[in-house]
Amino acid sequence: MKTLLLGDFSPTKTSNPLFREKKIDTLFTDTLSLFEGNDINMVNFECAITDSEEVIDKFGPGLHCCEEVAEVLKEVGVNYCALSNNHIFDFGKNGFYNTIRVLEKNGMKLTGFGENEADSRRDLIVE
């Protein structure tokens, strides 16, 4: 099984417009070939998908991106997202649940979350 595991993925205020316009070549430049021919392309999705500016009270930045990010990831071949990180709740439960909805709508398999601690720690098994 050929697998690509990508570290923290979070668009910025500068790159978000490029995702909205789906400028894949500009966003990924010469790294696009890394996604080709893999059974699994997984990213640690280090932000919330929301248009809200209502960040929770916390130390550090609130990371979020537009819905088109999921469409671009799907187009380049990302098929798994890990959500267990320190930014997934930056925009509260609404931002979290919207992130899940948008990623699943784009065919992503998700791991690292759940309705409780045990559920969020379940193993990801790919056959």
Side-chain angles (χ1 to χ4, degrees):
M1 183 175 293
K2 192 171 176 187
T3 304
L4 174 67
L5 301 174
L6 297 151
D8 297 355
F9 174 84
S10 181
T12 64
K13 288 184 180 186
T14 303
S15 65
N16 233 347
L18 297 171
F19 279 99
R20 282 193 196 278
E21 298 171 23
K22 299 183 181 164
K23 302 265 186 178
I24 292 173
D25 290 333
T26 303
L27 288 161
F28 293 93
T29 62
D30 60 349
T31 63
L32 271 175
S33 62
L34 296 173
F35 295 87
E36 296 172 1
N38 301 327
D39 301 297
I40 296 174
N41 288 312
M42 178 185 277
V43 300
N44 177 35
F45 201 83
E46 188 87 11
C47 61
I49 298 175
T50 181
D51 288 329
S52 174
E53 294 296 329
E54 305 270 334
V55 68
I56 63 168
D57 185 23
K58 62 173 272 190
F59 180 79
L63 303 181
H64 64 110
C65 65
C66 60
E67 289 192 17
E68 290 85 355
V69 167
E71 296 169 17
V72 168
L73 290 178
K74 178 181 180 178
E75 193 165 329
V76 300
V78 172
N79 49 4
Y80 287 85
C81 291
L83 300 179
S84 183
N85 59 65
N86 61 315
H87 287 285
I88 195 62
F89 283 105
D90 281 1
F91 291 80
K93 288 182 180 178
N94 288 339
F96 172 72
Y97 286 119
N98 191 62
T99 302
I100 290 172
R101 181 187 63 76
V102 172
L103 292 173
E104 286 181 337
K105 180 177 88 174
N106 283 279
M108 306 293 172
K109 304 286 189 238
L110 308 176
T111 187
F113 74 99
E115 293 298 321
N116 56 50
E117 183 178 358
D119 189 32
S120 68
R121 294 179 178 268
R122 71 184 179 279
D123 293 334
L124 172 65
I125 299 171
V126 179
E127 296 181 16

